[in-house]
């Protein structure tokens, strides 16, 4: 379980074209120091499993905060970690706000995981997005985090201004894999109200990815990261009440079940290939899939089954669980 504290825009030295943390998180002000212990206590009373509990500071650039504020936030959590009630702390920050002094402070206060808002590994895309850092900053920060023993994550954003599907894979995904982070998040760019991207979109200077294109691109990235042993812990923004208010997202590939759609598309392609290759006239199909992939195999609102039964004129199609099947694979039982 993660207990989140949001510090929207805190420490951020630049206005990125895609960012409006208030609309994304629903939080307009940074977490109040005095409320942190009470919130942690409240979360802990509802925690009934053995899953480790972490505290996370999200939404801003934690290591770009005034050093005294960093210490204050971390000290508010420190007693919970040292008593064993909280396993560790995680923070998110910018790639150009990492150095040895910062990492010593974080390590001293039990921070174990650092997520870097890399967004892209293409300097042109970074400049057009107003990031204010370079791909080299990400490379250097990941290496330094590894030296200091931190768990490291990268946040990447397909669909930014100046990017392309081919460019995202070649210039961002492949270099990110070479860095060997412990995990990544994939957040397709959205046009959110109150951002510079809204202005670019309004005057026709920016076109977001379509939902289908974003699903395809994130699917390709997911396959590459998983093949490299890098865990993709999230695909698409976490749905929030604020984010789903009418008028918050003006354009772009948003869907509350975005990851499921991505995983479903990968499995649908495998099932389509298997059905296309079989011989003889058959009006039914039975597939085997890992139990954890059954929902994705069926598809969001049974979309995979409906699409494939229409395409191949099937009378029936079933997907059965088989624990022996590798993840992200299916097998057609043919008779």
């Amino acid at each position: 379980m993660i207990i989140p504290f949001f510090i929207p825009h805190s420490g951020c030295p630049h206005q990125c074209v895609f960012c409006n943390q208030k609309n994304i998180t629903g939080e307009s002000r940074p977490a109040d120091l005095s409320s942190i212990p009470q919130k942690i206590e409240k979360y802990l009373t509802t925690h009934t499993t053995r899953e480790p509990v972490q505290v996370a500071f999200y939404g801003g650039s934690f290591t770009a905060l005034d050093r005294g504020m960093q210490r204050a936030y971390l000290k508010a959590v420190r007693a919970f970690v040292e008593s064993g009630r909280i396993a560790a702390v995680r923070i998110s920050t910018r790639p150009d706000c990492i150095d040895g002094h910062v990492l010593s402070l974080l390590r001293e206060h039990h921070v174990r995981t650092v997520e870097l808002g890399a967004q892209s590994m293409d300097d042109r895309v970074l400049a057009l997005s107003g990031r204010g850092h370079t791909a080299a900053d990400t490379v250097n920060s990941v290496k330094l985090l590894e030296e200091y023993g931190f768990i490291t994550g990268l946040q990447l954003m397909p669909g930014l201004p100046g990017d392309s599907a081919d460019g995202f894979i070649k210039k961002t995904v492949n270099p990110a894999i070479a860095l060997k982070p412990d995990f990544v998040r994939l957040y397709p760019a959205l046009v959110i109200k109150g951002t510079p991207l809204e202005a670019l979109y309004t005057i026709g200077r920016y076109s977001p990815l379509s939902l289908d294109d974003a699903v395809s691109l994130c699917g390709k990235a997911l396959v590459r990261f998983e093949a490299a042993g890098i865990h993709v812990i999230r695909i698409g923004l976490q749905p929030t009440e604020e984010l789903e208010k009418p008028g918050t997202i003006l354009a772009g590939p948003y869907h509350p079940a975005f990851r499921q759609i991505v995983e479903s598309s990968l499995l649908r392609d495998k099932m389509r290939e298997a059905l296309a290759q079989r011989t003889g006239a058959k009006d039914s199909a039975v597939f085997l899939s890992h139990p954890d992939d059954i929902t994705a195999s069926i598809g969001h609102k049974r979309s995979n089954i409906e699409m494939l039964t229409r395409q191949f004129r099937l009378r029936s199609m079933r997907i059965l669980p088989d624990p022996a099947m590798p993840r992200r694979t299916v097998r057609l039982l043919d008779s």
Side-chain angles (χ1 to χ4, degrees):
M1 180 175 76
I2 293 179
I3 304 175
F5 291 95
F6 293 98
I7 53 170
H9 295 294
S10 296
C12 297
H14 302 278
Q15 171 61 63
C16 303
V17 296
F18 53 80
C19 192
N20 183 328
Q21 285 294 325
K22 177 183 181 299
N23 283 336
I24 293 173
T25 67
E27 304 283 344
S28 59
R29 292 183 296 178
D32 180 61
L33 279 169
S34 63
S35 69
I36 289 177
Q38 291 92 327
K39 183 175 179 178
I40 294 175
E41 291 286 0
K42 182 178 179 180
Y43 269 77
L44 290 175
T45 59
T46 65
H47 185 60
T48 57
T49 71
R50 293 185 178 181
E51 178 189 6
V53 181
Q54 297 184 53
V55 165
F57 291 96
Y58 291 139
S61 298
F62 190 89
T63 61
L65 292 171
D66 172 83
R67 196 65 58 88
M69 183 56 69
Q70 292 182 53
R71 286 194 179 91
Y73 275 129
L74 295 173
K75 283 183 179 179
V77 180
R78 186 169 182 167
F80 290 94
V81 181
E82 293 178 347
S83 67
R85 301 177 71 195
I86 297 293
V89 181
R90 61 195 302 150
I91 61 106
S92 61
T93 192
R94 296 172 52 85
D96 56 346
C97 293
I98 294 290
D99 59 32
H101 296 295
V102 164
L103 297 186
S104 294
L105 173 66
L106 297 182
R107 192 164 57 182
E108 176 189 345
H109 288 83
H110 310 294
V111 174
R112 288 187 58 199
T113 302
V114 176
E115 296 189 38
L116 298 176
Q119 317 310 352
S120 175
M121 296 296 288
D122 183 332
D123 284 343
R124 178 174 175 272
V125 173
L126 291 170
L128 290 171
S129 301
R131 286 297 295 166
H133 68 81
T134 66
D137 291 322
T138 299
V139 172
N140 294 334
S141 291
V142 170
K143 290 179 179 178
L144 196 57
L145 285 162
E146 183 180 3
E147 289 176 15
Y148 275 73
F150 285 89
I151 297 169
T152 304
L154 295 180
Q155 299 168 5
L156 303 176
M157 187 170 286
L160 287 171
D163 210 351
S164 66
D166 188 57
F168 181 71
I169 295 298
K170 291 182 178 179
K171 296 183 179 181
T172 291
V173 172
N174 292 344
I177 289 172
L179 291 176
K180 300 179 181 179
D182 296 287
F183 64 90
V184 299
R185 299 178 191 258
L186 297 172
Y187 292 134
L190 304 173
V191 180
I192 295 174
K193 187 174 180 60
T195 63
L197 206 56
E198 176 189 1
L200 293 175
Y201 172 72
T202 301
I203 64 175
R205 291 180 57 192
Y206 171 74
S207 297
L209 293 170
S210 68
L211 182 60
D212 287 345
D213 287 344
V215 167
S216 174
L217 184 53
C218 288
K220 291 175 182 177
L222 175 62
V223 168
R224 282 167 168 75
F225 281 120
E226 289 190 335
I230 298 169
H231 187 34
V232 180
I233 65 171
R234 171 160 287 280
I235 309 177
L237 285 178
Q238 174 75 30
T240 64
E241 183 179 345
E242 188 72 26
L243 194 62
E244 296 194 321
K245 283 183 179 179
T248 297
I249 298 175
L250 303 178
Y254 175 77
H255 194 287
F258 188 82
R259 182 178 189 128
Q260 183 185 343
I261 294 174
V262 170
E263 294 178 343
S264 292
S265 73
L266 294 173
L267 291 164
R268 182 178 65 244
D269 289 345
K270 294 178 184 297
M271 289 187 284
R272 179 183 288 116
E273 182 180 358
L275 289 169
Q277 289 178 351
R278 72 176 178 172
T279 59
K282 297 170 184 175
D283 66 354
S284 65
V286 178
F287 284 93
L288 297 181
S289 182
H290 190 279
D292 291 343
D293 287 332
I294 290 294
T295 299
S297 297
I298 292 170
H300 185 62
K301 297 183 178 179
R302 295 179 59 84
S303 59
N304 282 358
I305 289 180
E306 292 180 5
M307 187 179 301
L308 294 173
T309 53
R310 282 198 309 270
Q311 181 178 350
F312 293 94
R313 299 180 181 179
L314 300 175
R315 176 178 50 83
S316 67
M317 177 175 162
R318 292 187 297 157
I319 302 174
L320 305 178
D322 182 356
M325 289 291 296
R327 291 295 309 275
R328 306 256 191 273
T329 64
V330 292
R331 181 160 68 90
L332 176 62
L333 294 180
D334 222 341
S335 57

